[in-house]
Amino acid sequence: MGQTIELTASDGVTFSAYRAEPEGAPKGGVVVVQEIFGVNGHIRGVADGYAADGYLAVAPALFDRVRSGVELGYNAEGIDVGRKIAFDDLTMEQVMADVSAAAACASEGGKVGVVGYCWGGTVCYVAAARLSDQIAAASGYYGGQIIPHLEERPAAPLLLHFGSEDHGIPLENVNAIAERWPHVAVHIYDGADHGFNCDARASFHPDAAGTAKQRTLAHFAEHLS
């Protein structure tokens, strides 16, 4: 069971984060980057899962700069509110400042990996490009806004996961990422839709989620040890 802590970004802004600690010495640190729905029960559960896997997990509340305590529903209203905060109210520079602060906290556990979902998948891609001095590996799930950042070269080892049935992220975009950066491991999961990792959503795909998690754990074991 984790706890809510407070972090301070390089520009002086304070925000909350959910921190979950492993039993025994950590294998490393993991920053868990939220979907557009906030640091909700699912994201806290993901952080708890990485703690159970032996990592010090930190899930920063990246919406706190706009509104504290955001936890949205998986419905049209929640999507509208979350998208506005993520894409209209925040800049990527602000988000990177907060991810950097979370990575500094997670580094108490050793080398740091970043994993993110939906909007967080895009954040993972950008973090792999901009924060490679702090993070040793990244794993991004169904990041739909990577193309606008495509010319930012991921310097940290990066995995990307996409569903073949995710109509919000055309496969031509996925293929464009793989072609532009051949050193990035891009995985496509047959039959999986957007949000396939989230067991609170109708699109949950346990087989794809399980395989993606095992690939992510192997990736982190290789680069964070």
Side-chain angles (χ1 to χ4, degrees):
M1 197 70 174
Q3 61 178 331
T4 299
I5 61 172
E6 187 174 272
L7 299 175
T8 303
S10 58
D11 59 2
V13 172
T14 59
F15 60 99
S16 65
Y18 180 77
R19 173 178 170 137
E21 299 191 15
E23 293 185 8
K27 300 175 182 177
V30 174
V31 176
V32 178
V33 186
Q34 64 181 68
E35 301 173 305
I36 60 170
F37 305 101
V39 179
N40 57 13
H42 170 65
I43 293 298
R44 292 191 293 271
V46 170
D48 288 339
Y50 277 99
D53 292 321
Y55 294 94
L56 170 59
V58 179
L62 299 177
F63 285 179
D64 271 13
R65 284 178 178 262
V66 178
R67 195 174 92 196
S68 62
V70 174
E71 295 191 35
L72 302 171
Y74 297 101
N75 52 29
E77 181 183 1
I79 291 170
D80 288 344
V81 172
R83 286 184 63 86
K84 182 180 184 303
I85 296 173
F87 300 115
D88 296 339
D89 299 336
L90 289 171
T91 67
M92 189 57 76
E93 288 71 25
Q94 290 172 322
V95 172
M96 286 297 109
D98 294 351
V99 172
S100 176
C105 178
S107 71
E108 295 173 20
K111 292 182 179 179
V112 176
V114 178
V115 63
Y117 308 87
C118 181
W119 177 62
T122 297
V123 172
C124 267
Y125 179 94
V126 178
R130 300 188 191 179
L131 301 179
S132 61
D133 59 331
Q134 281 189 279
I135 66 174
S139 181
Y141 288 64
Y142 32 85
Q145 296 296 318
I146 291 174
I147 292 298
H149 299 279
L150 188 58
E151 292 310 308
E152 297 194 51
R153 183 186 189 277
L158 175 63
L159 299 183
L160 293 175
H161 313 274
F162 298 96
S164 67
E165 304 306 307
D166 186 343
H167 301 295
I169 306 176
L171 286 179
E172 63 188 53
N173 288 2
V174 176
N175 292 331
I177 298 165
E179 290 171 7
R180 182 67 185 90
W181 303 116
H183 68 289
V184 173
V186 177
H187 299 284
I188 300 172
Y189 298 83
D190 288 340
D193 201 343
H194 193 78
F196 68 76
N197 185 74
C198 180
D199 58 7
R201 302 175 72 170
S203 57
F204 177 56
H205 194 296
D207 290 342
T211 300
K213 177 67 180 292
Q214 290 306 311
R215 285 172 169 160
T216 299
L217 287 174
H219 187 58
F220 287 168
E222 177 182 357
H223 296 289
L224 305 188
S225 61

